[in-house]
Amino acid sequence: MTEQNTPQKPSETRSALNRIVLLFGIIIGFFIYAYGWTVTEIDLDRPQEELRQENVTIALRELLSPRILQQEREVTILSAAFLMDCDSGDSPEIPSADSGEPVVILGTTCADTGDEITVQVVGGQPNADARIRWMPPGAEDDEEVRPRPREILETGREELVLNGRGGFTGTIEVPRIRGGDGEIHEVQVQVAVPAGPILLSETALLVIDRMAQTIFMALVATTIAIPIAAVISFFAARNLMQRIRLSLGSMLLAFITLAVGLVLGDRLLKPLGQLGFEIGRGAVGADAGALVAFSVPIAVVLAGMLTQRQIKPPRKNKKKEK
């Protein structure tokens, strides 16, 4: 007896075809992804740069430590004179640390752009928050001349905290200021001391306000949508339960009317959308907005009723039995 080759089952053939299609899909997807990776010039080394890592660290620090509470502060400004470019004149005198008053002492009272100078605070408020600012000439009188916040090189941050004796020592860099050579600048240390009760911050109040608005918007939208959805659901259930016979010509006519309906809907709904936009801006009265809000659902329901009557197939007359 000769063995006959048994034909493969249709299910096995279909399974093999599905595997081939899946394999080709994976290959095509891989090439598309590789092309997109090349076109967008993705470089994974850039996120590893020191500056980017520092910016990410600062952003995460601010994100994980939101200012929920705030307190009014009394700000005391301590300043020291500084001469830009030592060859342009005599440098200011360095104040004494034994004066008994809070003072700012600079390691040198004259330097060039880009040099590092030491800033020392003596006699300040213990454990107070502070910040260093560079004041160019005329910064207090001229609005166009802005002060420059200075970063502490040892910590990499602009904010600093005085120690238990009200002192601080750190290093800053002389900024580059156009036309500032040969003029007297000021190095200011702004010391902030808490005063008054602790209250919710503006950020916390804004978040609470937006949360309340979101909750009430959802409440209003739900209460308005439930009756409309309940009415429409009955028509949807009727369409599902009703037996509809549709011929090929009717189907083609439905596609044609769908295209015509899209064009007409675009022409007719644009003015309605513009009216809604004007209502949102307050350009139209509240009565007109309420009229539109209630008339649109009613029009939808009436249109659904008319559609139901047109789609409903005619009943066949039963032949009377003789």
Side-chain angles (χ1 to χ4, degrees):
M1 298 178 64
T2 60
E3 295 182 356
Q4 296 180 354
N5 294 329
T6 58
Q8 293 184 352
K9 296 181 179 180
S11 60
E12 296 178 356
T13 305
R14 189 180 299 108
S15 178
L17 181 61
N18 291 338
R19 291 194 185 97
I20 294 174
V21 173
L22 178 61
L23 179 61
F24 275 103
I26 294 174
I27 295 174
I28 293 173
F30 176 78
F31 279 107
I32 292 175
Y33 194 82
Y35 177 75
W37 185 285
T38 306
V39 171
T40 53
E41 298 180 356
I42 297 176
D43 187 3
L44 297 180
D45 293 333
R46 291 184 179 181
Q48 305 299 326
E49 295 178 359
E50 183 178 356
L51 180 59
R52 291 177 181 267
Q53 292 288 334
E54 183 179 354
N55 293 336
V56 170
T57 303
I58 295 174
L60 290 177
R61 187 187 299 120
E62 295 293 333
L63 181 63
L64 298 177
S65 58
R67 296 182 180 180
I68 301 176
L69 303 175
Q70 68 178 6
Q71 188 178 17
E72 294 184 359
R73 299 186 178 187
E74 295 180 357
V75 180
T76 303
I77 298 178
L78 309 177
S79 61
F82 181 86
L83 175 65
M84 186 75 73
D85 188 4
C86 297
D87 297 335
S88 59
D90 298 332
S91 59
E93 296 182 359
I94 299 177
S96 174
D98 300 330
S99 60
E101 297 181 357
V103 293
V104 176
I105 301 175
L106 303 179
T108 177
T109 56
C110 69
D112 297 330
T113 299
D115 294 343
E116 298 179 1
I117 60 174
T118 303
V119 179
Q120 183 181 5
V121 180
V122 179
Q125 183 72 21
N127 302 321
D129 296 332
R131 180 177 295 181
I132 299 177
R133 295 199 310 172
W134 191 280
M135 300 291 292
E140 297 180 355
D141 301 330
D142 191 354
E143 296 182 355
E144 296 182 358
V145 181
R146 299 181 179 179
R148 309 286 183 87
R150 290 289 85 193
E151 185 180 273
I152 310 300
L153 299 182
E154 287 80 2
T155 61
R157 302 184 62 181
E158 297 179 2
E159 296 80 8
L160 59 97
V161 180
L162 303 183
N163 56 27
R165 295 178 296 177
F168 171 79
T169 302
T171 306
I172 64 173
E173 183 179 348
V174 179
R176 182 182 301 275
I177 299 177
R178 183 179 301 176
D181 295 344
E183 297 183 352
I184 300 296
H185 299 240
E186 282 189 0
V187 179
Q188 290 186 355
V189 178
Q190 297 180 348
V191 182
V193 180
I198 299 176
L199 304 173
L200 288 174
S201 64
E202 296 182 0
T203 303
L205 294 176
L206 181 61
V207 170
I208 294 174
D209 181 54
R210 293 295 184 266
M211 288 174 60
Q213 290 184 15
T214 304
I215 292 173
F216 283 106
M217 287 172 62
L219 175 63
V220 173
T222 303
T223 53
I224 293 177
I226 285 176
I228 300 174
V231 174
I232 297 177
S233 64
F234 285 103
F235 295 100
R238 185 177 179 184
N239 288 336
L240 293 176
M241 300 300 295
Q242 186 175 357
R243 187 176 182 181
I244 300 175
R245 297 177 179 178
L246 190 63
S247 62
L248 180 59
S250 300
M251 185 179 297
L252 295 176
L253 182 61
F255 280 109
I256 295 174
T257 54
L258 175 62
V260 176
L262 290 175
V263 176
L264 294 178
D266 181 67
R267 298 289 181 85
L268 297 177
L269 292 179
K270 273 187 178 179
L272 185 60
Q274 185 66 26
L275 179 60
F277 180 73
E278 296 294 336
I279 293 172
R281 293 193 308 171
V284 182
D287 297 335
L291 180 61
V292 173
F294 285 101
S295 62
V296 171
I298 294 174
V300 172
V301 173
L302 293 177
M305 295 175 63
L306 294 175
T307 306
Q308 289 293 330
R309 291 184 177 180
Q310 293 178 0
I311 296 178
K312 185 176 180 181
R315 296 182 179 178
K316 296 182 179 179
N317 296 327
K318 297 181 177 179
K319 296 182 179 180
K320 296 182 179 180
E321 298 180 356
K322 294 183 180 180

